[in-house]
Amino acid sequence: MEKKIEPGLLSVIWNYLVTTAREMSNVLVRASTSVITAELMDHFVGIYDARGGMVAAHTVLPPIMGIGRFQVRDIVEKYRKDIHPGDVFIFNCPYTAHGTHLPDWSFAAPIFFQNELLLFSFSKGHQLDTSGAFPGGYFSGAYDIHAEGLCIPPIKLYSKGRLQKDLWDLLMNNVRFRQEQEMDIKTMIAALKTCEERCLSLFRKYGKKTVKTYIDHMYDVMEKSAKEEIRRIPDGTYSGESAADDDGSPQRYGVPVWVRCNVEVKGTRIKVDFSGSDPQVNFINSPWSNTHCYSCISIFTTFGPELALYHNEGSFRPIEVTAPERTVVNPRYPATVGACPVNVGTQIMFSVLQALGKARPERVIAGGVGNFHFAEWGVDRKGRRYFAGTFNGEGGTGAVCGHDGWPHLGPDSCFGALRKGNVEVIESRHPWIVRDYRLRTDSAGAGKWRGGLGVHVEWISDTELEHAIVTGPSDKITTRSYAVAGGEVQPPNEQYIIRARNREKEIVYGKRGPFFLEKGDIFIQNSGGGAGWGRAMERDPEAVRSDVLNGYISLRSAQEIYRVILDPETLTIDQEATQKLRGGA
Amino acid sequence: MFKLAIDVGGTHTDALVFDGNQGLLEFKTDTTPQDLRIGVFKACEKIAEHYGVSLKELLERIESIIHATTVSTNAVIQRKGAPVGMITTAGFADVVELRRGRRDTGLNVRVEFPRPLVPRYLRLEVKERMSHEGKIVTALDEESVRKAMEKLDREKIQSLAVAFLHSHLNPVHEKKAAAIIAQEWPDVEISLSCDVLPQIGEFERFSTTVLDAYVAPLVRSYLISLDERLRSDGFKGRLLIAQSNGGVATPEAVAQRPIWTIGSGPCGGPVSALYYARSVLNTRNVIATDAGGTSFDVTLIANGEIGTTTDDWVADQRIAIPMTRIHSVGAGGGSIGWIDSLGVLRVGPQSAGASPGPACYAKGGEEPTLTDAALLLGYVNPDYFLSGERRLEVTRATKAIEQRIAKPLRKSAVEAAEAIFRVSVANMSSAIREKVTREGYDAREFCLVAGGGAGPLVAAPIAQELAIRDVLVPNVASCMAAFGWLRSDIQYDFSHSMMIITVADPAQVDLEKITRLYEEMESDAVRMLKLQKERFDIYRSVEMRYDGQFRESEIPMPRKRLTARDLASVIQSFHKRHVELYTFSMPDRPVELINYRIKIVMETSKPKLEKRPVKTQPAKNMVKGSRNCFFLGRFHKTTIYDGNKLKPGHKIAGPAIVELAATTLVLPPGFKSTVDKLNGFHVQRR
């Protein structure tokens, strides 16, 4: 059935909705007092339809966009006729509200026009605190989900425009940085209001029927092009696997946790099956919505770049994801989930992309650093208690066909959305002295295109007062990333503490802590880069020369891995010797 | 005596002459990218020709030339700056390459990494360290400076960035290193981070300093040779250079801070838009737009304030000096229409530019552009484009639109042209809407001033899209920036951070320290700019935020010895400002003082547009003819007016087209326009 769609208007409405989502993000960034929301950009906003279909999203944190689909549907199913203008819903629970980990609080508000529920505005942000045993929610070894923090089912924070004061008091009485969090929630709700105003003016202008028709058509268009992309993947079943180092429980230290998948491509459909993944463990379990979304997002990265901004409900339609219950990719209550979104989320992404790399390598990015960051709390330079998540120290991303990876861009699952702090600001806010912050030579995987480099950072604790770090979601210290098309995998991440009192070196694995620091203790991060794409021997010798010149790789790697012979003094390429070493290729 | 503004754009070099007798005269020549000076002198020759005098005679009669050049911007975009080296604190050589680990392409992962302007092997570390309080932790090892410099000298760098950690709090190490290098390597040009941008945040400061070093040799030699050539050709007046803060500067000042010119190109536009809106409608709330060949620039002017931002990028490099807050998107007359893999029509951001240009230029362009669409729709007269200087070929435009757009969409060529036009309008409207809401305003409360060659084509439909009531199309629409520069003051911006001061109680603050900082900044600036004998005004301000926030707002500070009462009232203004910007304030929360700013302003004499008597009358006699123009899905018989003959008070009703010397005003059905007292057009809905 051919709908009457006017191409100019389609473009107008589509861009209007995408711009609206971007505006919501601007609201959060400009007024928030949370380092995580405003400075690190760890938030997500989007617009969903009355059935939970994703209309438009601002891809600040792409992995979250699919989660709103589940969460809005939960609200619609639970409240049905009891949804009214002025309602604002709040929720974070992985088991009753399709949440991810508990610090990610979501907010959604219905948008009514002419007495009809048409859309939902949606915002989600990593909160400073969500109760639980330690500040911030990034600690392993909690007894169950209740020990990790407040579990909020889909409930109304505002009912018909009125704040539910009792509920508000209950929530705010259970978080550690109440003042900051109150501010942050205000801005999350301000973003919803902005969205509502924009959408209403769209309805007023074109009428609800037209807008609805065009939104449906946007889905169809996106579905069609997603299918077209999938059609270009050769039919077949491809497998991938990736492991987290361990789940952070003392009894399972060093025991890798495996995510395994089969990706079955048949015509224009794609099916991801996680049978064979490990049973649910502690701390890193990925709730179903997270697993589903990470799978889809991984597939989206292989699509044409022009689709990147415009994903919507249609993009998800040709993809089917299944995962057995009670596994690490589909846990049941009361399994803990503290590090889930980025931790096992990354293993999901790596395993799916590894599988797709066998099918359509020219479109697949090699694995990067994974996750390599920490969270901290203590007493700041002004003498006040604080919690901060920081992404400094993250390593590089993997290479893609045609481009080297980017340095310092991790975690992989955030696609560079997170901004790292300036050392000058960190040193003047929090009790650190940063001694060294540099790219690490030879930290990336080799390839025709090599990975982006990781970094070396030395943090010296600079306070007599309380100061603690947790290595929360850090990973890929004992397990490995993946390369594509014959590229090589980067060396692992490593980090350790050198204690001031005895100069002893204490290796620090991921998902550990809290580590309480004393003044002068040095925390050292050596993050890995990304993996390579294609065979190292095919890298342009001129690029290898430049890599040596700039210290991205050593002379030795140039010779042994890339098989390029350079004069150690002048770095001129010995063409003949190089050709010979490369087998006359 | 004449005043002359020469504005180098991507396609054209605009020269605008203000002559006491004839008012404003506009001249356009092609920009000469290989050497921008050629275009500048060609423009001067064209003017001389108009007056029937020699170039020398002309230059002798010019009292001032205000010049906006893209020499620095182009150097960055095309990566043609000087070979640069960098010396920095041990452990921090990679700051400009680490880029705070951010990319904003989302799910598009196939993106090339933006190489730093100074490669890693030319970024060398020296032993030194300051604490976060500006205390010396490790003294500068002077030998390590010499060793680094010896290596950089062997690599034949021409320009050097010196950037140390926390140097905004204590510059002694940077200054000492610079002194050693200046003495022992006198040929190397040096940019110090404590001079260029003494503000907290090493990535932004280092990146800005590297940019300064990167463009410095080019800018300096450009200015010297331009000035010499002008002088030898008889110019005795004053040369002033446009800056990205919207003000102009002496060549000597720009030679000290070449970075002040980066991105200056479009910054004159808002100045003229504001002047125009104030003169005609007596409003200070303006959305200034400039639609040229490749880009659409939007500036929001609220309450007469042309804002600046320090949160910007030039090409892929971070720049943090105050720049006019212009939001640019890839949309203009040359923007190309295309069908994406979703089958959806998009326009831009790619542009056909000046070469090959739109298909209708018949210069080898085969892609359909907005200009081609406007031609098919009947808006643009093929025989009167740029007053007839360029003939447009309708058949080529038709062919391009038919093949690339109409066929895949199964539409007629003219329907496809309307779709291209409509999508362009939507793109530009979105750019405005986003800009306006990002700043916390409502577009409907503003007047839209449309500049640029393509601006008057799209002004009315954009206003309709955004429900804006008043649109102004100045008679200088096609050279808005140049006119703005004619009216710009000399203006210098400086900023400085100290240790962050948290204020719960103004009486507890070391006010003397703040006063002292301002005084030092002022005397440093006066010395650097050699203003000892000049008359100027100085304005102080402070960037502040609520304790814990991450975005600052700039609040004026009185220029006097600061008292607790003064500071309290500054804080009051901040609360008020916060409400204006973000709808709420937190009066009980302490505030933080982050950056201290001064602005030095020297007023220039400004040409005014002649206000002419307004005589309300129909414009019947100014009609050139009529043709069929396509609006809202069908052709309408449309009256064509000769814009050069219209006088203040003339009234026109849409559908109508007004053909001006360098642009075309389109009035769709439902719009009307009156010629205003400055001989521009005031467009409204009927």
Side-chain angles (χ1 to χ4, degrees), chain A residues 135 176-177 180 377-380 383-387 466-467:
Chain A
R176 291 182 175 87
F177 306 98
E180 283 75 10
W377 67 78
V379 182
D380 70 13
R384 290 176 316 195
R385 302 203 62 83
Y386 76 98
F387 170 83
E466 180 180 335
H467 193 197

Side-chain angles (χ1 to χ4, degrees), chain A residues 202-218:
Chain A
L202 191 69
F203 288 127
R204 263 181 238 121
K205 189 153 179 196
Y206 299 109
K208 63 181 176 186
K209 221 169 143 189
T210 306
V211 175
K212 275 167 80 175
T213 307
Y214 275 78
I215 288 175
D216 284 341
H217 189 73
M218 279 161 49

Side-chain angles (χ1 to χ4, degrees), chain A residues 40 68 94 308 392 451 474:
Chain A
L40 308 175
N392 290 81
S474 316

Side-chain angles (χ1 to χ4, degrees), chain B residues 313-372:
Chain B
W313 298 78
V314 48
D316 49 22
Q317 302 298 315
R318 180 77 170 86
I319 185 168
I321 55 165
M323 301 185 44
T324 303
R325 207 186 276 266
I326 294 179
H327 179 51
S328 256
V329 293
S335 291
I336 293 170
W338 53 291
I339 309 284
D340 71 10
S341 67
L342 302 166
V344 173
L345 172 65
R346 310 239 181 251
V347 182
Q350 302 87 338
S351 166
S355 178
C360 59
Y361 281 20
K363 279 166 69 185
E366 289 180 359
E367 307 284 353
T369 64
L370 173 60
T371 303
D372 295 307

Side-chain angles (χ1 to χ4, degrees), chain B residues 508-524:
Chain B
Q508 302 291 318
V509 174
D510 185 352
L511 298 163
E512 279 304 308
K513 198 170 152 191
I514 298 176
T515 304
R516 213 159 45 237
L517 177 75
Y518 277 119
E519 285 169 358
E520 277 166 21
M521 286 172 74
E522 291 177 7
S523 58
D524 285 353

Side-chain angles (χ1 to χ4, degrees), chain A residues 117-382:
Chain A
L117 171 60
L118 294 170
L119 296 172
F120 279 92
S121 56
F122 183 92
S123 61
K124 185 180 180 96
H126 188 126
Q127 304 297 313
L128 280 174
D129 196 63
T130 182
S131 197
F134 291 103
Y138 270 130
F139 51 94
S140 56
Y143 176 73
D144 61 9
I145 187 91
H146 300 290
E148 286 198 314
L150 279 170
C151 299
I152 312 169
I155 49 176
K156 289 182 186 179
L157 182 61
Y158 284 79
S159 180
K160 296 184 183 169
R162 267 191 47 214
L163 177 68
Q164 305 299 291
K165 193 77 182 42
D166 295 343
L167 171 64
W168 178 255
D169 282 348
L170 176 66
L171 290 174
M172 289 302 112
N173 201 43
N174 278 283
V175 296
R176 291 182 175 87
F177 306 98
R178 176 175 184 152
Q179 235 192 350
E180 283 75 10
Q181 207 146 328
E182 282 184 0
M183 268 311 310
D184 233 31
I185 293 176
K186 271 187 204 165
T187 58
M188 311 271 327
I189 292 169
L192 301 184
K193 295 265 176 267
T194 303
C195 177
E196 182 181 19
E197 280 169 29
R198 295 291 167 275
C199 292
L200 288 180
S201 81
L202 191 69
F203 288 127
R204 263 181 238 121
K205 189 153 179 196
Y206 299 109
K208 63 181 176 186
K209 221 169 143 189
T210 306
V211 175
K212 275 167 80 175
T213 307
Y214 275 78
I215 288 175
D216 284 341
H217 189 73
M218 279 161 49
Y219 294 168
D220 293 345
V221 168
M222 205 65 207
E223 180 183 357
K224 207 174 123 205
S225 44
K227 283 183 167 166
E228 186 50 35
E229 291 282 352
I230 294 168
R231 201 182 52 76
R232 287 179 208 161
I233 308 174
D235 279 1
T237 303
Y238 310 93
S239 61
E241 60 177 14
S242 182
D245 292 347
D246 60 34
D247 75 344
S249 316
Q251 67 274 24
R252 285 194 292 273
Y253 277 171
V255 180
V257 180
W258 285 95
V259 172
R260 299 191 177 90
C261 74
N262 277 319
V263 178
E264 190 190 321
V265 182
K266 211 168 168 186
T268 58
R269 297 204 54 87
I270 197 162
K271 200 172 148 185
V272 184
D273 178 2
F274 287 99
S275 301
S277 298
D278 279 354
Q280 70 187 41
V281 287
N282 208 345
F283 188 48
I284 59 173
N285 301 303
S286 168
W288 170 238
S289 62
N290 195 60
T291 298
H292 186 278
C293 188
Y294 266 89
S295 306
C296 296
I297 292 294
S298 311
I299 295 166
F300 295 165
T301 65
T302 71
F303 291 177
E306 69 279 10
L307 307 186
L309 285 177
Y310 296 97
H311 284 290
N312 62 32
E313 188 60 21
S315 319
F316 294 91
R317 285 180 183 159
I319 303 172
E320 186 188 336
V321 185
T322 56
E325 284 189 12
R326 297 185 191 284
T327 58
V328 68
V329 287
N330 192 3
R332 292 293 98 163
Y333 172 86
T336 51
V337 297
C340 86
V342 291
N343 194 290
V344 161
T346 299
Q347 314 319 327
I348 291 166
M349 189 174 144
F350 279 13
S351 64
V352 171
L353 284 171
Q354 193 186 26
L356 288 171
K358 298 170 185 169
R360 203 184 181 194
E362 70 281 5
R363 281 299 186 92
V364 174
I365 186 168
V369 61
N371 302 287
F372 201 62
H373 52 273
F374 63 97
E376 61 175 307
W377 67 78
V379 182
D380 70 13
R381 296 277 193 200
K382 286 177 187 163

Side-chain angles (χ1 to χ4, degrees), chain A residues 6 39 198 225 303 306 382 384 403 406 408 416-417 420 422-424 427 434 437-439 550 552, chain B residues 91 94 97 100-103 111-112 121 129 166 201-202 204-205 341-342 422 437 502 547 592:
Chain A
E6 205 271 287
E39 191 64 356
R198 295 291 167 275
S225 44
F303 291 177
E306 69 279 10
K382 286 177 187 163
R384 290 176 316 195
H403 307 283
W406 287 41
H408 196 225
K420 285 76 178 176
N422 271 315
V423 168
E424 289 177 347
E427 287 189 344
V434 179
Y437 201 141
R438 64 173 70 249
L439 292 165
N550 285 303
Y552 301 145
Chain B
D94 289 328
E97 186 157 355
R100 299 186 64 187
R102 175 147 162 86
R103 182 170 75 193
V111 190
E112 186 67 17
Y121 76 99
R129 184 67 148 92
H166 296 299
E202 72 274 9
E204 290 74 12
R205 189 171 75 251
S341 67
L342 302 166
R422 192 165 180 183
T437 49
T502 308
D547 188 10
E592 292 182 326

